[in-house]
Structure formats: C-alpha cells, structure tokens
Amino acid sequence: MNTFRIFSTCNIGEEALERLTKRGYQLEVYNEIDPPPKALILEKVRSGIDGLITTLRDAIDEEVFNAGIGSLKVVAQDAVGFDNIDREAANQCKIPFTNTAEVLTDATAEFALFMLGCVSRKLYSSELIVRNRVWKTWHPFSPILGDEVTGKTVGVVGTGRIGKAFAAKCLGLEVDLLCADPFPDEAFVKDFQKLLDLRFELGLSKKGNTIRYTTIENLLGSADYVSLHVPLSDETYHLIEEHALHKMKKTAYLINSSRGPIVDEDALHAAVKQGQIAGAALDVFETEPLPEDSPLRDSEIVERVRLFHHFASGTRETRLSPDPEIGMAGRCVQGLIDVLEGNYGGNPNNMPFVVNKEAFE
Ligand code: GLV
C-alpha cells in the first residue's frame, strides 16, 4: 500500500479521488466551495505533503514551490490552463506539475460554438421576451432579429487542440474559417480543406467553403465572429484591446472561452456600447467571479453581451469522470499517481500529463 499524503484544494470529484484512497493514499480535501486561502496551502505544503491537487483559482507560486522543496513531489492541476502556476519556480525546485489537457477539448469547443450561436441569434433576449410576456404575436421582425451564422466567416485565434476542435464543430454551419496562430499547422488546414471540398462535392454545402491561415490583423478585419483559443501569457495579455476591437467589423462578434485577461474588458465595453462591434460572449473574465462594478454588467449592452461563469468545460462527463481518458478529475488524479508511483520509468519527462517536462530532460 502507498502512504502518500495528498492535499486537494477542492473536491474535484469523489469517484476520482476515491482512486487515491483505495490505493492507500492519505487524502485531505478542502471541502468548501470557495478556494482555500494561500496560507493554508502553504501550511499543508510545509507540513510535508507528497502531492498537491489544485484548481485554476489557486496561486501556486515561487513561495509554494520553495516550501515544497524536499517533500512535495507533484502538483496536479485540475484544468488545462496553468497560468496560475509559476512554471519557472516549479522547474527551479524540480517539482513536476500536471494538467488535464485533451479531456476538456470537446466540451470547451462546443461551448464556444454555443456561445457564438447564443449571442448571434439572441437566445437570451428571446427567452426573456417569452418569460416577461413581451411576446404578443408572431411578427417578421418585431421585437428583435438575430444574425444568421450559416455562410459567414469565423475567425479562430489560436489553433491548438481547442481551436481546431472548435473549427471542426463549425463544419455544419458552412462557414469560411480564418485562422491565426504564431505556429501555423499547415497540415491541419490542408486536411480540413479536403473535408470542406468533399462536403461541397457531396452537395452537403451550398458553396465551397475555405479555411486558411492569415495574420491576426486580417482575421480581425474580415471575420464575422472572432473566437479566442489561446493560453494566457505575456504575449496574449490584452491581445484584444482598443485597437484590435477597432479593426473588427461593426457587425462582428467576439467570443472568449480561453482566459479573461486576453481581452481588455474596458475597451470591449466601450466598443460594444459605441457600436464598434455587434456584441460579445464571454465565459472568462479579467477578474473572476465578475466584479459587481464590472462595465460588462452595463444594462445598456445587455442584449449584445452574454456572460457565463467559466463554464465551458462544465459537463458532468468532462468535469467529474474518474476515467483519465474522459474526465478532468480522472486525468488529474492519474497525473498525480504517475509521478508518485514512478510510472513511465519514473521519469516525469516521459509522463503524458506532466507539463514542465523540460525540467527533467
Ligand atoms: C479551464 O478554464 C481550464 O483551463 O481547464
């Protein structure tokens, strides 16, 4: 039996966590809905735990890693994004950390598409019209109309796993796709184009759609929908600010399911309010939860801005499945087990869920 001591900053899913206790691990879970204070995380790390399970709400910085030198063997993050983890500090302390890439790709990509549809077709306003008894009769254009997605141009900013999956989910909408990425995957675009051509040949789309890489400037200027799929870094912080928003079409929508700080929210508020863009749908924010005084809560833009509670990966399957091939909880626990039990020859560099492999080359 294993005697590893683990502290989990959150109940990431009972069934997955049970996999640890069944193996003999001593597991302590911070069972509140809110995250634990940093001081508690530090206290647990200083007490000599072997593994720390974290969520994107926990700041796992130099102080935490330094406190773990000599005892902490792994940080297992229950998310694909890890901008809350100081990678350099992890590397200096030679502590591997893991994430849950891949298992949330489809959930996040489909949510981005649904947000796009929601804001463009005014689903929220339509429901309010019914609920508030504003709906008196069928009429061709009163009280509102939406913007049709079919046949438009969708811009995909960032063509990693989620950006590509999002593009794939757009297929049935017969849109043209413009992609921007500092590391273009030309093979992906080539294969995708074959698929678009085949759909046209088979009569499954009315016109031959296209997909291609372009610059972010061109994408912003040409797309009817701009969907963000980039990780948060120094390069992507406020990627969408005043000037970028000015480049977008007045009829275009911005969709963000990646990280909040990629969009300058003050600039976005101004752009929507002044009609420089048609609207936005956001699942992530510069500060989460969205502050009471956020400009995005402005009642004058409520019809054109959809706000969600960092929910893109929030399906039962994706969040909770104990299976590492299906759920974040399962994959998070598996990443922890791999490191602690020395799977893959005990070399973190060979472990599929370890992020900072470079520290172990
Ligand atoms: C969610 O935002 C994640 O990074 O998993």
Side-chain angles (χ1 to χ4, degrees):
M1 277 302 237
N2 303 291
T3 52
F4 299 116
R5 278 181 57 221
I6 312 299
F7 178 63
S8 181
T9 66
C10 182
N11 178 354
I12 61 163
E14 309 268 345
E15 250 191 287
L17 288 173
E18 262 174 30
R19 289 183 56 207
L20 297 177
T21 47
K22 279 189 184 144
R23 299 168 93 83
Y25 288 36
Q26 291 172 45
L27 172 69
E28 187 187 347
V29 178
Y30 187 77
N31 248 321
E32 306 294 322
I33 295 295
D34 284 331
K38 164 98 177 289
L40 183 64
I41 298 179
L42 275 171
E43 184 191 310
K44 297 296 171 190
V45 172
R46 286 194 185 117
S47 78
I49 54 167
D50 301 285
L52 177 65
I53 295 177
T54 57
T55 72
L56 46 82
R57 311 172 301 173
D58 308 313
I60 308 303
D61 56 12
E62 203 178 352
E63 202 182 2
V64 175
F65 282 112
N66 282 338
I69 293 176
S71 51
L72 185 64
K73 296 172 189 69
V74 58
V75 173
Q77 163 98 337
D78 187 40
V80 60
F82 48 82
D83 43 277
N84 59 310
I85 297 179
D86 185 337
R87 185 172 189 152
E88 224 168 275
N91 290 354
Q92 262 161 21
C93 298
K94 288 262 182 275
I95 298 174
F97 71 90
T98 63
N99 75 344
T100 65
E102 286 158 1
V103 285
L104 45 70
T105 299
D106 282 317
T108 306
E110 72 175 26
F111 195 83
L113 182 61
F114 298 153
M115 288 204 295
L116 184 159
C118 179
V119 68
S120 189
R121 295 299 306 269
K122 296 197 166 49
L123 300 189
Y124 175 78
S125 306
S126 170
E127 180 162 353
L128 286 184
I129 284 164
V130 176
R131 290 190 180 279
N132 297 340
R133 298 174 173 77
V134 174
W135 185 28
K136 300 295 181 207
T137 180
W138 185 92
H139 186 275
F141 55 82
S142 176
I144 56 170
L145 286 176
D147 292 315
E148 193 155 326
V149 182
T150 300
K152 298 277 173 57
T153 297
V154 175
V156 185
V157 180
T159 53
R161 291 186 199 91
I162 299 175
K164 284 176 182 159
F166 169 78
K169 294 190 191 304
C170 287
L171 259 183
L173 289 165
E174 300 177 37
V175 291
D176 289 320
L177 289 154
L178 287 175
C179 305
D181 195 296
F183 304 100
D185 183 346
E186 294 295 350
F188 160 74
V189 160
K190 212 167 145 204
D191 287 345
F192 204 104
Q193 186 60 57
K194 284 187 202 155
L195 212 54
L196 293 171
D197 294 344
L198 187 63
R199 281 178 57 85
F200 183 53
E201 269 167 49
L202 295 174
L204 295 173
S205 59
K206 286 180 286 300
K207 76 175 182 85
N209 291 117
T210 58
I211 181 169
R212 65 182 172 88
Y213 276 103
T214 184
T215 60
I216 179 92
E217 286 75 22
N218 281 340
L219 182 153
L220 290 170
S222 312
D224 299 299
Y225 302 91
V226 174
S227 190
L228 306 177
H229 302 282
V230 289
L232 178 60
S233 66
D234 290 347
E235 289 76 43
T236 60
Y237 177 80
H238 280 191
L239 178 70
I240 305 298
E241 37 62 275
E242 189 187 346
H243 298 102
L245 289 159
H246 270 271
K247 288 190 184 105
M248 287 174 64
K249 294 190 197 176
K250 283 193 163 36
T251 50
Y253 292 88
L254 179 70
I255 317 298
N256 190 9
S257 58
S258 55
R259 282 292 183 265
I262 290 160
V263 177
D264 177 342
E265 289 173 2
D266 286 328
L268 175 63
H269 167 254
V272 176
K273 194 151 183 161
Q274 291 156 17
Q276 277 153 15
I277 68 168
L282 310 170
D283 185 46
V284 287
F285 302 95
E286 293 201 65
T287 303
E288 295 181 7
L290 189 65
E292 203 41 57
D293 61 352
S294 165
L296 298 171
R297 293 185 188 272
D298 183 346
S299 57
E300 281 183 38
I301 57 169
V302 73
E303 278 228 334
R304 290 172 290 146
V305 177
R306 300 278 53 81
L307 310 173
F308 302 99
H309 70 287
H310 203 142
F311 194 38
S313 63
T315 66
R316 284 178 230 284
E317 299 86 343
T318 290
R319 287 273 171 89
L320 297 184
S321 172
D323 183 337
E325 296 308 314
I326 299 175
M328 293 163 65
R331 189 158 281 217
C332 176
V333 161
Q334 188 61 50
L336 180 110
I337 291 173
D338 284 347
V339 176
L340 291 182
E341 298 187 19
N343 294 341
Y344 302 93
N347 184 354
N349 194 21
N350 298 331
M351 298 180 191
F353 310 143
V354 167
V355 175
N356 57 333
K357 292 189 165 62
E358 69 276 9
F360 306 94
E361 269 163 9

